[in-house]
């Protein structure tokens, strides 16, 4: 991960670099190239004197030296660098544009841990890009010039400059530099030696180890021979060479050494972070290389015997003793190290100067002012924390209230119990420490005061989590981008699919989507999803809906009756006319018969017997006697389409010109069989039986399956009975009430067709209600017209189309809410001029029972027991609606999680598409 | 991206969801408001003379005067509330050495604030919003502090002392003739940090926050006196019938507001009409699952007031209202309103009664804990 980051950083730097104007870049480079070369030259010679310390290192150094020398000779020393870089990261090389000078490469070399010189190079690189970005090209040049002199002049300078790079943006570079530095430190010590000897001419490399040179301890290779045998890694002194050797071979030392090496070689920040990550924001005693978690602990350490020992030892060795001022681990390590005159450090200075162009005089600053050495590698987040740490004031103890004192019998505090953190202490000091402590503060923040500031300590783990999260986000973003693409073209397909499924070529056999059957019944509830209530209602409806055979029987019987009536009417008219104008009308009639395309009353409108010539007011035709039977109309269940399974009685109403009389009725009853036989054709199956029902004012035509009640009535019946008319036909005229009822039925049928039949779900619900009335005694008093009025009103007042389930529930709500109780408004009959309550005659107890029943039903519907209301088996849950596609979707989803790293895009694509489907459907 | 790849697998049988017809999309919950006769007036024009409802009106008004708290009660509550408010305000502004908690805001809520206090219940509510998290210790600390401060005030005034007792919602300061419940809550952003064993219950705390929103909404929308009258009547009615007891004051507020104000004219309806309407709506399933119910104006969109009740309570409330509706329709409003005790204090909604030969019987509950989960969209407010 870290490596990747480095790559990233480098690429970034490279870009910056490339962005800088070429001239500036090269200006800077000149300085740079010279600096290492100069040192290299010296140390190259030095090397010769030095005994082969480490052949491998020698070789590396030699190459390096050569390379640098080369660079010295030629400013754009690409080829020389190439030699050293070739083995290294190809990627880094690729990241740099061709315009970029080769300097960056060595940085990488450094982290790859071979040539020591690469370390300074890394500084240079970082700085360079920084400088180029920050200042203009012009500014860069002089700065680099300064660098040049600085490197040659003094070694202490870079240290100082290093500290003087506080800009946040540079931290990354710093880290990298340090990493590289570490690497170099431990892997290529020989070079340091060489530098050392150069810095202090005349001394052999062994001198390097003499006390007083004051360079970073860790930078030293393990000393081989000294009066005082001091192990720099472990920071102990040994009594003699023997013990020292033993120590060096000892496990403890090796472990420590390995750890240090690992930290260095394992690259950088991650290792360093691992080693010290736990100590974020802690104080550090440089002398003992001990990290303390807080000021108190640090104070304790300084007072402690171990620290005193080390101080004593260091005094003896003549090593510098840093002040007891603690070093903040987060920041650059504060350590007044002896001014390292080593060239290596000064090369590091290169970078510093570049970053701090404002103080070109920096090189001259005395080493004592140098604030930090680059030798302790701060890592990234420690750097970031630095500010926090510095800003953090002495913490105030919090949460006193939550610490219980556990007292002994004598009232003396025995121990303390912190309720927030659930821990105990015996010592009041421990309590104080605890209250200032981070854990306690965190608990306090969490449980009591959310705005309390507790410094954050990002652990390695958290950081990893954050990184993983960032990566996931990236993946997700990509996924979304893809999905958007899919959405764009996916819609077309969805549309196609919908056309296929919802279009005319609806395949019935396709599956268990049984609700589609109902499309045939003319109730598309659009896109409204079907609820369980709907399915129950529709299933029940399908149950009670009359079968095809039954409907056929009824329609045949009715059609035959109607045509027979027409024929009868014609015959009556003929016979009437023959008395007055014999021939003429007959011809007319025949013609009209053909002109009138209507054969019977199947459109549920008035089937007029009149021919066009003899318009309704045929009385106007001079001398023409009006037809006795003007027309016939289907009324009642048949006209309204409310027939249920098992219904066998239907009604027709014949409108007469005058008040229908018994005589007329008898005539009809007598003649109808003949006309029926004529209409149905000889030999046809149904044998019709015609009965005369004078009390009903009707004749009944019936066959094996169907009974058709033909009532006679006339519009004249409604006219106020004034005087003679009634008296005259008093005996002969059919019962008035029956005639009025028939007329009302006529109006009801018309009202129904106009107002109720068009309402969505209304007819279904009335059928359902009719079934309810047949089954449940409480509902029986509700007459069918009142039921129709009620349902139509309820459905109409909803203001929107209702699905069958909703409509049934709304009806129950209305009745349950007391609509039909006495104080309610009543059901106004729209077919009457006066205010008539269609349910006016219902007794109070019936109303009460009906309301109570509806109330119970309503709650049953609400609690998913509609099957009890409808008296049917509960339907299983709609599998196709939810389960069938929910399941695969779920499975697909869980796959998603596993395969989001899958390199081949196939899985992703399918998944994305699937998702787009889902989201699409969700929208609708 | 190539289209062919993208649609790879289309038509291959067995790929989940591929052959899925588009009409099988997830259910979009579209809840309807219940049938409301008042709004359905055009569909059901009155065809018989309206019944004389003056008896009911008189009874309603009479009962209301009984339910109104007396001026002395009101004064007692007012004085205690004023003192507490002063003390708490002082803590908000200048906490001094008081460190148990930090207060953000103090607000009066509830029936006292809304002006719907009932006689005999001299309890006012104050919500205290803490800046810190409401630990039990913090509540206790605040309670002690308040107790001490109020008692100093009382002493200075020469009136009796108060006692303060903590409970799970905060603490109650009880004086001689009045009490103030101090309800503790915390800032919104702190809500998710609440832990059950350390702090007050999450639900309690958020309900206190909601109480603030409720009283604000009430102030802005439901200040009409008719609404307050109806609220008192309904609360009284609910408290006397076991099935209606679970109804929260907030639900009753919303119901009363709906019944009085929600009509085509947007003018307050007469109290008798509104009372009948309230019963009729409840009987018509306003508070049943699957009904749009009353949208809660103080919660996120689409939340319904009655989802605070569980299913059994919803069923019972509806059944009780249905019975009461029929009782009132038979002229039993005196019992329903509590002007006359029914057969020695029996719950009329549970008894079979006979009115002029018409038998009115209570209804059986419809809800049963069915083994298969009722897949109801209704308990969870969307």
């Amino acid at each position: 991960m870290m490596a990747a980051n480095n790559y990233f950083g480098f690429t970034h730097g490279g870009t910056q670099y490339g962005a800088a104007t070429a001239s500036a870049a090269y200006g800077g480079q000149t300085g740079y190239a010279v600096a290492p070369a100069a040192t290299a030259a010296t140390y190259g010679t030095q090397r010769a004197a030095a005994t082969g310390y480490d052949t491998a290192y020698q070789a590396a150094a030699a190459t390096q030296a050569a390379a640098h020398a080369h660079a010295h000779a030629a400013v754009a020393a690409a080829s020389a660098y190439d030699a050293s870089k070739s083995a290294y990261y190809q990627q880094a090389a690729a990241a740099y544009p061709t315009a970029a000078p080769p300097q960056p490469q060595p940085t990488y070399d450094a982290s790859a841990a071979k040539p020591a010189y690469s370390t300074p190079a890394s500084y240079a690189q970082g700085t360079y890009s920084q400088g180029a970005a920050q200042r203009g090209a012009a500014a860069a040049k002089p700065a680099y010039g300064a660098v040049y002199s600085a490197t040659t002049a003094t070694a202490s300078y870079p240290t100082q400059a290093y500290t003087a790079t506080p800009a946040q943006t540079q931290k990354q570079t710093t880290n990298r530099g340090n990493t590289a530095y570490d690497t170099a430190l431990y892997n290529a010590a020989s070079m340091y030696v060489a530098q050392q000897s150069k810095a202090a001419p005349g001394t052999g490399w062994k001198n390097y180890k003499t006390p007083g040179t004051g360079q970073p301890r860790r930078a030293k290779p393990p000393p081989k021979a000294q009066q005082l045998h001091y192990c720099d890694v472990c920071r102990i002194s040994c009594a003699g060479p023997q013990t020292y050797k033993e120590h060096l071979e000892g496990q403890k030392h090796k472990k420590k050494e390995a750890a240090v090496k690992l930290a260095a070689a394992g690259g950088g920040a991650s290792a360093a972070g691992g080693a010290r990550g736990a100590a974020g924001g802690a104080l550090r005693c440089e002398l003992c290389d001990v990290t303390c978690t807080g000021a108190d602990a640090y104070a304790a350490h300084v007072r402690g015997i171990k620290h005193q020992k080390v101080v004593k030892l260091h005094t003896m060795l003549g090593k510098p003793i840093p002040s007891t001022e603690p070093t903040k681990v987060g920041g650059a390590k504060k350590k007044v190290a002896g001014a390292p005159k080593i060239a290596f450090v000064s090369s590091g200075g290169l970078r510093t100067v570049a970053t701090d162009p404002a103080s070109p005089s920096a090189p001259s600053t005395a080493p004592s002012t140098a604030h930090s050495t680059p030798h302790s590698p701060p890592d990234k987040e420690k750097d970031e924390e630095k500010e926090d740490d510095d800003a953090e004031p002495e913490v105030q103890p919090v949460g006193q209230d939550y610490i219980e004192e556990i007292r002994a019998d004598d009232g003396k505090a025995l121990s303390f119990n912190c309720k927030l953190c659930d821990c105990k202490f015996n010592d009041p000091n421990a309590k104080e420490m605890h209250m200032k402590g981070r854990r306690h503060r965190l608990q306090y923040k969490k449980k009591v005061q959310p705005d309390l500031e507790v410094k954050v300590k990002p652990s390695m783990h958290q950081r990893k989590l954050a990184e993983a999260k960032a990566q996931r986000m990236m993946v997700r973003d990509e996924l979304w981008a893809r999905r958007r693409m899919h959405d764009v073209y996916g819609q077309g397909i969805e549309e196609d699919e919908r056309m296929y499924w919802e279009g005319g070529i609806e395949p019935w056999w396709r599956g268990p989507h049984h609700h589609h059957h109902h499309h045939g019944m003319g109730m598309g509830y659009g896109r409204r999803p079907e609820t369980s209530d709907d399915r129950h209602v529709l299933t029940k409806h399908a149950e009670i809906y009359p079968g095809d055979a039954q409907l056929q029987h009824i329609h045949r019987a009715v059609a035959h009756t109607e045509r027979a009536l027409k024929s009868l009417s014609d015959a009556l008219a003929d016979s009437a006319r023959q008395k007055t104008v014999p021939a003429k009308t007959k011809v007319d009639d025949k013609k009209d018969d053909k002109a009138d395309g209507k054969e019977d009353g199947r459109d549920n409108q008035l089937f007029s017997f009149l021919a066009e010539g003899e318009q309704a007011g045929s009385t106007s035709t001079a001398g023409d006697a009006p037809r006795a039977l003007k027309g016939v109309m289907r009324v009642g269940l048949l006209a309204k389409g409310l027939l249920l399974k098992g219904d066998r009685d239907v009604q027709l109403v014949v409108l007469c010109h005058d008040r229908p009389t018994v005589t007329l009725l008898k005539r009809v009853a007598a003649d109808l069989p003949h006309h029926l036989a004529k209409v149905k054709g000889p030999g046809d199956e149904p044998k019709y039986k015609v009965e005369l029902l004078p009390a009903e004012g009707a004749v009944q035509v019936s066959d094996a399956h169907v009974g058709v009640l033909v009532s006679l009535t006339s519009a004249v019946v409604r006219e106020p009975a004034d005087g003679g008319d009634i008296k005259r036909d008093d005996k002969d005229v059919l019962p008035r009430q029956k005639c009025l009822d028939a007329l009302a039925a006529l109006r009801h049928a018309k009202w129904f067709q106009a107002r109720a039949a068009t309402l969505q779900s209304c007819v279904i619900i009335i059928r359902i209600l009719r079934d309810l009335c047949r089954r449940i005694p409480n509902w029986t008093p509700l007459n069918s017209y009142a039921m129709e009025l009620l349902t139509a009103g309820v459905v109409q007042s909803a203001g929107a189309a209702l699905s069958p389930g909703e409509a049934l529930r709304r009806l129950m709500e209305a009745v349950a809410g007391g609509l039909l109780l006495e104080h309610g408004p009543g059901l106004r009959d729209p077919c009457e001029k006066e205010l008539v309550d269609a349910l006016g005659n219902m007794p109070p107890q019936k109303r009460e029972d009906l309301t109570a029943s509806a109330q119970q039903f309503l709650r049953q519907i609400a609690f998913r027991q509609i099957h009890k209301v409808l008296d049917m088996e509960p339907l299983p849950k709609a599998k196709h609606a939810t389960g069938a596609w929910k399941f695969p979707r779920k499975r697909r989803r869980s796959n998603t999680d596993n395969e989001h790293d899958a390199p081949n895009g196939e899985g992703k694509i399918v998944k994305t598409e699937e998702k787009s489907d889902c989201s699409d459907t969700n929208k609708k | 991206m190539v289209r062919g790849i993208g649609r790879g697998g289309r038509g291959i049988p067995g790929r989940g969801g591929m052959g899925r017809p588009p009409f099988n999309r997830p259910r979009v919950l579209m809840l309807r408001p219940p049938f409301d006769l008042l709004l359905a007036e055009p569909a059901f024009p009155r065809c018989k003379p309206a019944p004389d409802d003056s008896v009911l009106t008189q009874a309603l008004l009479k009962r209301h005067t009984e339910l109104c708290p007396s001026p002395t009660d009101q004064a007692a509550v007012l004085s205690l509330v004023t003192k507490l408010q002063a003390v708490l305000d002082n803590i908000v502004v200048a906490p001094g050495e008081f460190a148990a908690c930090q207060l953000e805001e103090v607000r009066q809520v509830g029936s006292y604030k809304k002006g719907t206090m009932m006689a005999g219940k001299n309890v006012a509510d104050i919500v205290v919003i803490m800046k810190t998290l409401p630990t039990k210790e913090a509540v206790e600390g605040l309670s002690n502090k308040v107790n001490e401060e109020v008692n100093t005030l009382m002493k200075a005034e020469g009136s009796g002392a108060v006692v303060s007792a903590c409970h799970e919602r905060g603490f109650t300061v009880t004086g001689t003739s009045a009490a103030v419940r101090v309800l503790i809550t915390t800032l919104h952003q702190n809500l998710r940090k609440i832990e059950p064993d350390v702090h007050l219950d999450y639900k309690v705390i958020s309900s206190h926050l909601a109480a603030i929103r409720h009283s604000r909404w009430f102030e802005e929308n439901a200040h009409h006196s008719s609404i307050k009258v109806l609220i008192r009547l309904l609360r009284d009615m609910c408290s006397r019938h076991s099935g209606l007891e679970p109804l929260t004051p907030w639900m009753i507020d919303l119901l009363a507001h709906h019944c009085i104000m929600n009509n085509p004219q947007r003018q307050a309806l007469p109290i008798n009409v509104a009372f009948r309407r309230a019963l009729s709506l409840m009987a018509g399933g306003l508070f049943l699952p699957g009904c749009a119910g009353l949208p809660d104006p103080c919660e996120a969109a689409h939340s319904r007031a009655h989802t605070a009740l569980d299913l059994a309570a919803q069923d019972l409330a509806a059944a009780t209202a249905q019975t009461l509706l029929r009782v009132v329709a038979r002229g039993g409003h005196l019992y329903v309103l509590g002007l006359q005790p029914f057969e020695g204090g029996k719950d009329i909604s549970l008894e079979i009664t006979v009115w002029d030969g018409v038998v009115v019987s209570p209804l059986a509950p419809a809800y049963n804990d069915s083994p298969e989960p009722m897949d109801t969209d209704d308990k969870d407010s969307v």
Side-chain angles (χ1 to χ4, degrees), chain A residues 401-402 419-420 444-451 482 485-486 489-490 493-494 496-498 501-502 506 513 515-516 527-532 789-790 793-794 796-797 802 806-807 809-810 813-814 816-819 821-829 835-838 844-845 847-849 851-856 858-860 862-865 868 877 880-882 884-885 888 891-892 906 909-910 913-914 916-918 921-922 924, chain B residues 1-8 10 14-30 32-37 39-48 51 99-102 131-135 137-138 190 193 195 198-199 276 280-281 283-285 288-291 311-312 314-316 318-319 321-323 325-330 357-361 363-368 372-378:
Chain A
D401 298 351
Y402 297 91
K419 283 196 278 185
L420 287 179
Y444 190 78
K445 177 187 167 76
K446 199 171 149 204
K447 293 179 180 168
V448 181
Q449 190 181 349
D451 53 351
R482 280 199 202 175
M485 270 177 67
H486 268 285
Y489 80 87
I493 287 165
E494 168 77 8
D496 290 348
E497 197 191 39
R498 200 173 48 72
W501 284 102
E502 291 182 347
E506 221 272 287
H513 316 298
H515 59 292
H516 256 236
R527 325 200 125 199
R528 194 181 292 268
E530 229 186 21
T531 61
S532 149
L789 285 176
L790 173 69
V794 165
Q796 182 212 325
S797 64
L802 295 178
E806 288 172 335
R809 177 168 174 161
R810 187 172 168 86
E813 284 169 357
L819 180 67
L821 290 175
E822 282 90 340
H823 66 79
L827 293 170
R828 188 192 185 295
D829 188 347
L835 291 177
V836 174
D837 187 355
Q845 183 66 59
R847 290 175 185 270
E848 160 72 25
D849 292 346
T851 305
S853 169
Q855 289 174 341
Q856 190 72 22
L858 169 65
R859 279 179 298 118
Q860 283 174 340
F863 289 104
R864 297 265 181 272
Q865 295 163 29
K868 289 187 185 165
K877 274 195 180 170
H880 59 280
T882 45
W885 71 267
R891 198 181 58 205
R892 195 59 63 86
E906 170 81 53
I909 291 165
V910 171
E913 174 234 46
E914 166 81 8
S916 75
D917 269 1
C918 295
T921 44
N922 278 333
K924 286 175 187 169
Chain B
M1 201 171 294
V2 191
R3 186 179 162 131
I5 293 176
R7 306 304 288 187
R10 167 140 315 266
R15 297 201 69 144
M18 280 304 176
R20 172 167 53 86
F23 46 76
N24 286 338
R25 47 188 69 97
R27 281 167 56 182
V28 182
L29 196 58
M30 291 180 67
R32 282 179 316 100
F35 180 85
D36 188 342
L37 185 53
L39 301 178
E41 193 83 61
F44 293 100
R46 185 162 275 284
C47 63
K48 50 188 183 186
C101 56
Q102 297 168 29
K131 220 183 276 179
T132 52
L133 290 175
T135 57
E137 284 79 13
N190 292 347
K193 297 178 185 134
E195 286 174 19
V198 183
H199 306 117
R276 280 191 195 276
S280 156
L281 279 177
L288 282 181
C291 180
L311 290 173
Q314 290 179 18
D315 185 28
L316 198 58
Q322 288 171 345
T323 311
L325 170 83
R326 285 176 290 130
V327 169
V328 171
R330 301 284 152 224
V358 176
V359 181
V360 175
S361 33
L363 297 167
Y367 173 76
N368 56 343
E372 88 252 65
M374 318 233 300
D375 86 303
T376 146
D377 25 285
D378 311 310

Side-chain angles (χ1 to χ4, degrees), chain B residues 113-135:
Chain B
K113 171 76 173 172
K114 293 173 189 168
T116 57
M117 231 168 65
M118 309 266 287
K121 287 184 187 165
N122 294 337
V123 183
D125 297 298
I126 291 183
V127 168
V128 169
I129 309 177
M130 285 189 175
K131 220 183 276 179
T132 52
L133 290 175
T135 57

Side-chain angles (χ1 to χ4, degrees), chain A residues 809 813 858-859 862-863, chain B residues 32-34 234 237-238 243-244 246-259 277-296 304-319 321-322 378-379:
Chain A
R809 177 168 174 161
E813 284 169 357
L858 169 65
R859 279 179 298 118
F863 289 104
Chain B
R32 282 179 316 100
L234 288 179
M237 183 182 81
C238 291
L244 293 176
L247 262 63
T248 61
W250 176 232
M251 283 167 70
I252 294 173
D253 289 357
L254 286 175
L255 178 65
H257 173 258
H258 177 86
C259 290
R277 189 186 185 192
L279 267 184
S280 156
L281 279 177
M282 279 198 282
L286 182 73
F287 291 151
L288 282 181
C291 180
L294 295 174
D296 193 330
R304 294 172 292 161
H306 68 271
T307 46
L309 303 181
D310 61 21
L311 290 173
Q314 290 179 18
D315 185 28
L316 198 58
Q322 288 171 345
D378 311 310
K379 260 320 272 180

Side-chain angles (χ1 to χ4, degrees), chain B residues 28-328:
Chain B
V28 182
L29 196 58
M30 291 180 67
L31 295 172
R32 282 179 316 100
F35 180 85
D36 188 342
L37 185 53
L38 227 114
L39 301 178
E41 193 83 61
F44 293 100
R46 185 162 275 284
C47 63
K48 50 188 183 186
D52 180 18
D53 231 7
S54 58
V55 184
L56 177 65
T57 314
Q58 292 304 317
L60 286 168
L61 293 178
K62 179 159 179 267
R63 181 62 183 164
H64 178 247
T65 48
E66 289 177 20
L67 291 174
C68 270
S70 69
T72 48
D73 282 353
Q74 278 180 329
V77 175
L78 176 67
S79 98
L80 189 57
V81 166
T82 319
K83 284 195 193 72
L84 258 171
Q85 180 85 40
V87 166
L88 288 169
D89 279 342
N90 196 33
I91 297 177
V92 171
V93 175
E97 77 282 8
F98 177 67
C101 56
Q102 297 168 29
L103 303 192
E104 171 77 17
E105 208 179 344
V106 177
R107 275 175 180 276
Q108 297 175 18
V109 297
S111 55
Y112 171 75
K113 171 76 173 172
K114 293 173 189 168
T116 57
M117 231 168 65
M118 309 266 287
K121 287 184 187 165
N122 294 337
V123 183
D125 297 298
I126 291 183
V127 168
V128 169
I129 309 177
M130 285 189 175
K131 220 183 276 179
T132 52
L133 290 175
T135 57
K136 281 153 191 158
E137 284 79 13
V139 175
E140 207 175 304
L142 184 64
S143 164
N144 293 337
K145 172 82 175 171
V146 166
N147 191 20
E148 179 188 314
E149 298 272 328
V150 173
N151 272 327
T152 357
L153 278 181
M154 294 289 240
K155 215 169 272 171
E157 208 175 77
S159 45
V162 296
V163 283
S164 167
C166 289
H167 46 81
E168 71 277 7
R169 301 173 65 101
F171 56 92
T172 306
V173 179
T174 318
T176 43
S177 58
V180 176
R181 278 193 299 175
V182 180
L183 309 171
I184 305 291
T185 186
T186 183
L187 293 175
H188 249 295
Q189 58 264 33
N190 292 347
L191 277 184
R192 60 191 171 80
K193 297 178 185 134
I194 299 297
E195 286 174 19
D197 46 343
V198 183
H199 306 117
L200 299 186
D201 188 40
Y202 176 86
K203 276 193 177 169
V204 169
I205 287 173
S206 42
S207 77
H208 294 165
L209 279 182
I212 296 176
R213 296 196 294 274
H214 294 170
S215 49
R216 281 188 60 180
W217 174 86
F218 195 90
E219 246 179 312
E220 287 160 16
N221 299 286
H223 45 265
H224 199 284
S225 338
S226 293
I227 299 178
K228 293 176 185 171
V229 172
L230 187 58
I231 287 175
R232 281 203 184 92
L233 291 167
L234 288 179
R235 281 178 72 172
D236 171 62
M237 183 182 81
C238 291
S239 68
R240 275 180 301 97
H241 298 99
S242 60
L244 293 176
E245 257 180 332
L247 262 63
T248 61
W250 176 232
M251 283 167 70
I252 294 173
D253 289 357
L254 286 175
L255 178 65
H257 173 258
H258 177 86
C259 290
I260 297 263
M261 296 309 284
N262 189 7
N263 58 65
Q265 287 81 38
R266 297 278 155 198
Q267 295 298 316
L269 290 180
I271 188 72
N272 57 329
V273 178
F275 180 75
R276 280 191 195 276
R277 189 186 185 192
L279 267 184
S280 156
L281 279 177
M282 279 198 282
L286 182 73
F287 291 151
L288 282 181
C291 180
L294 295 174
D296 193 330
C298 295
E299 296 297 331
H302 307 310
S303 113
R304 294 172 292 161
H306 68 271
T307 46
L309 303 181
D310 61 21
L311 290 173
Q314 290 179 18
D315 185 28
L316 198 58
T320 309
Q322 288 171 345
T323 311
L324 292 182
L325 170 83
R326 285 176 290 130
V327 169
V328 171

Side-chain angles (χ1 to χ4, degrees), chain A residues 396-452:
Chain A
Q396 291 299 317
V398 290
Q400 177 83 50
D401 298 351
Y402 297 91
I403 299 202
E404 280 176 338
E405 288 185 21
I406 298 169
R407 290 176 188 280
D409 298 335
D410 55 354
K412 205 175 145 194
L414 274 183
S415 67
F416 302 91
N417 179 25
C418 176
K419 283 196 278 185
L420 287 179
C421 317
D422 195 22
C423 58
K424 278 189 179 175
F425 351 84
N426 297 327
D427 185 9
N429 291 331
K431 188 194 81 174
E432 285 300 317
M433 291 279 278
H434 173 78
M435 277 164 63
K436 287 184 193 173
R438 177 187 174 73
R439 182 168 64 129
H440 179 76
R441 283 175 74 84
L442 270 177
Q443 287 293 325
Y444 190 78
K445 177 187 167 76
K446 199 171 149 204
K447 293 179 180 168
V448 181
Q449 190 181 349
D451 53 351
L452 184 75

